[in-house]
Amino acid sequence: LHTMTMKSFLSKISAMSMVATTATTDALQWPSLLRGSEAEVQVDTSVQQTDCEDGWYAGVDAVDDMWKKKPFYSDCDNVWQLSDEAEDLKDDEFPDDDDTDWRTSTYNDCARNGVDSEVTAIEKECLWDDSSQCTDLGNSAAEIVVMDNFCTPGGTYGASNNYPNYKKECKDAAVTICEGNISNVANSWCPDKNLSTGKLKQLQDECEDQVNDMVGTDDDDDDEDDDTDRDLDDCGRDGSCGSCKKAYCPDVTERQQCKEDHCSMEDLLLFFPEDVEAHAIN
C-alpha cells in the first residue's frame, strides 16, 4: 500500500510538471502568437516607434526637393524667399490639423519641425558660413542708394526719377517769360491803347494755357504742381537753377541763396527774368 501511494504521488507530480512546462512554453510563445513571426514584429515596431522620425525626414526631404527646383535652383541669391515658401509647403503637405488621428498628427508635427530645421540649415550655409552673400548685398544696396539719390556710374545726376523734368522746366520758364513780356508786346503793337493793371493780370493768366496749347501737357505736370507733397530738401535738389523756384524753395532766404549758388546770368534770364529787370533798375 505504501509503495502504491508513492507511485501515485510521483505520477501526480510528473503530470503537474508537464502542465507547468507546457504553460511556460505557451507563455513564451504568446507574443508570437499575437503578433506573428519575428519579421512581422520588427515591421510593426518600426512603424510605431518612428512616426516622428519618418515625418521629420519627410519634411527635410521636401525642403531639399523644393530648394533644388525653380525658382531657387540651390542658388543662395534666392534663399531670402525660402522661408515663406516653406510655410506654404508645411500647410499644403503637413497641415497642422487637430481633426486627424494621433499617428497622422505626430507625423505632420515632426515633419513641420523637419521643414523648419532644413530651412535654417540652408540659410546658415548661404548667409552665415559664406559671408559673400551679405557683402555683395551690402555693396549692391550702396550702389542703388547712390544712384537713386546722388549720381550714376555714367554721370553726375541721380536716377532718372530724380532728373529735372526738362520739358516742364522749359514750359515754366516760357510761361514766366510770357507773363513778363505781355506789356512789352502790347506797348509795341498798340502804344495808344491803355493797358490797365487788371487787364495785364488777365492777359498774364492766359500764358500757361497758351504755352500748353502750343506744346502739349505731360501727365507729370499736375503731380509736380502739387506742392503739398514736396520734400523740404527739394530746394536746389539737383543743382539746377530751376529747382530754386518758389515751388521748391518757399522760404525767401533759402530761395535767394539757391539762386546765388546755382543760377548763372543766363539761368536768371530764363527762370527769373524779373530778378534781372529789378537788378537793372537798381
Side-chain angles (χ1 to χ4, degrees), residues 12-240:
K12 290 179 178 180
I13 291 177
S14 177
M16 291 173 63
S17 176
M18 291 177 62
V19 170
T21 301
T22 301
T24 301
T25 302
D26 290 345
L28 293 173
Q29 292 176 347
W30 182 249
S32 295
L33 293 175
L34 287 176
R35 296 179 295 182
S37 66
E38 182 178 357
E40 291 172 340
V41 170
Q42 291 176 350
V43 171
D44 292 342
T45 300
S46 173
V47 171
Q48 293 176 7
Q49 291 181 350
T50 61
D51 284 331
C52 185
E53 291 180 355
D54 287 347
W56 194 86
Y57 284 113
V60 170
D61 290 342
V63 173
D64 283 340
D65 290 342
M66 181 174 66
W67 177 238
K68 294 174 183 176
K69 298 176 182 177
K70 184 180 180 180
F72 300 105
Y73 300 116
S74 300
D75 186 344
C76 285
D77 287 348
N78 302 320
V79 76
W80 303 92
Q81 291 77 39
L82 181 62
S83 61
D84 290 339
E85 293 297 326
E87 289 298 319
D88 293 338
L89 173 68
K90 289 192 295 185
D91 292 339
D92 293 341
E93 297 192 19
F94 313 109
D96 185 10
D97 190 353
D98 294 334
D99 294 333
T100 60
D101 60 86
W102 66 266
R103 191 183 302 279
T104 302
S105 179
T106 298
Y107 179 91
N108 286 345
D109 285 347
C110 295
R112 293 171 70 88
N113 276 275
V115 169
D116 293 339
S117 177
E118 188 63 10
V119 169
T120 299
I122 293 173
E123 289 178 343
K124 178 178 181 294
E125 180 180 356
C126 285
L127 306 177
W128 184 261
D129 295 343
D130 181 0
S131 63
S132 63
Q133 174 74 200
C134 309
T135 302
D136 293 345
L137 177 64
N139 289 336
S140 296
E143 292 175 343
I144 296 297
V145 168
V146 172
M147 183 177 67
D148 284 348
N149 299 279
F150 191 67
C151 66
T152 64
T156 58
Y157 285 110
S160 57
N161 59 352
N162 285 330
Y163 288 154
N165 185 332
Y166 295 114
K167 291 190 293 184
K168 185 177 186 306
E169 294 287 354
C170 182
K171 287 197 298 181
D172 288 348
V175 170
T176 301
I177 293 171
C178 170
E179 293 171 347
N181 207 33
I182 289 291
S183 60
N184 294 333
V185 174
N187 290 331
S188 175
W189 288 0
C190 43
D192 297 333
K193 189 174 183 180
N194 181 49
L195 180 63
S196 66
T197 301
K199 186 63 175 180
L200 173 63
K201 185 66 171 63
Q202 178 185 349
L203 295 177
Q204 288 175 331
D205 289 342
E206 296 290 328
C207 284
E208 182 174 0
D209 289 340
Q210 183 59 47
V211 169
N212 286 332
D213 288 343
M214 296 169 71
V215 297
T217 59
D218 293 332
D219 293 337
D220 294 337
D221 285 354
D222 293 337
D223 295 337
E224 295 197 12
D225 286 339
D226 185 3
D227 295 336
T228 58
D229 295 331
R230 288 204 187 281
D231 194 304
L232 294 177
D233 293 335
D234 279 351
C235 184
R237 58 185 175 143
D238 53 22
S240 70

Side-chain angles (χ1 to χ4, degrees), residues 230-266:
R230 288 204 187 281
D231 194 304
L232 294 177
D233 293 335
D234 279 351
C235 184
R237 58 185 175 143
D238 53 22
S240 70
C241 185
S243 62
C244 298
K245 295 171 64 176
K246 185 177 180 180
Y248 300 98
C249 305
D251 182 82
V252 176
T253 303
E254 289 185 357
R255 185 162 66 251
Q256 185 59 38
Q257 185 62 49
C258 183
K259 293 177 184 178
E260 294 178 4
D261 293 341
H262 303 300
C263 297
S264 65
M265 183 57 69
E266 290 79 8

